Amino acid sequence: MGEEKKEQSDLKQLSQEEVEKHTTGTSSWLVIHDKVYDVTKFLEEHPGGEEVLLEQAGKDGTESFEDVGHSEDARELMENYLIGELRDEDKASNKYPEKRDMWKSSGNGSTPWASYLLPAAIAIVVAIAYRVWAASSS
């Protein structure tokens, strides 16, 4: 496959502050999954148009990237523009709390799944009441 992928340890460590300086058509960097990409040379080639990339320039575009549902070819093409990764203290995994397990207690004595139980029970009662009413009306 020609050029080998950059090893994780070989990637330059970049700060979010440094990434935020590159938001123009002459220098456009963005972050996807904590990796930094210089997409300046790809702006005119991007199938969705350059404005899509410029909108995410200088920011974490992971959510937007995943929402579009890029192909494996697009993901492989990204490697050509990889210039580094975010420093550990700037990584998204450090910015957001861990996802909570829906079966664990929320600390107030009730479990999160219990909040679905009451609406489900009400829906069942309403459905039964409607069927009884509909049957008696005909």
Side-chain angles (χ1 to χ4, degrees):
M1 280 233 263
E3 200 173 308
E4 291 182 28
K5 279 187 175 181
K6 293 182 183 179
E7 292 295 322
Q8 193 80 351
S9 60
D10 294 343
L11 292 176
K12 184 177 180 182
Q13 300 291 301
L14 298 163
S15 69
Q16 181 64 44
E17 185 177 305
E18 177 66 22
V19 173
E20 290 170 359
K21 294 177 185 176
H22 300 271
T23 60
T24 67
T26 56
S27 182
S28 184
W29 294 7
L30 55 90
V31 176
I32 298 175
H33 294 294
D34 296 326
K35 297 219 170 80
V36 181
Y37 298 88
D38 181 350
V39 295
T40 310
K41 294 178 182 173
F42 185 64
L43 290 174
E44 292 180 16
E45 299 172 30
H46 187 255
E50 68 181 64
E51 46 294 321
V52 175
L53 294 176
L54 288 172
E55 187 177 294
Q56 297 300 318
K59 300 187 255 180
D60 187 330
T62 303
E63 186 174 349
S64 296
F65 179 82
E66 293 300 342
D67 284 350
V68 171
H70 285 86
S71 67
E72 281 304 311
D73 289 339
R75 292 172 189 277
E76 287 176 19
L77 184 62
M78 286 173 53
E79 296 301 318
N80 297 330
Y81 303 98
L82 180 63
I83 59 169
E85 70 177 336
L86 286 179
R87 295 181 315 186
D88 287 341
E89 56 268 23
D90 290 331
K91 289 185 177 181
S93 56
N94 295 330
K95 294 179 188 170
Y96 305 107
E98 217 176 286
K99 288 186 179 178
R100 293 175 54 179
D101 186 346
M102 68 180 282
W103 303 109
K104 289 185 179 172
S105 174
S106 61
N108 63 1
S110 68
T111 54
W113 64 267
S115 62
Y116 297 104
L117 191 56
L118 181 60
I122 291 172
I124 291 170
V125 169
V126 168
I128 291 171
Y130 175 76
R131 292 194 122 212
V132 168
W133 174 81
S136 67
S137 303
S138 46

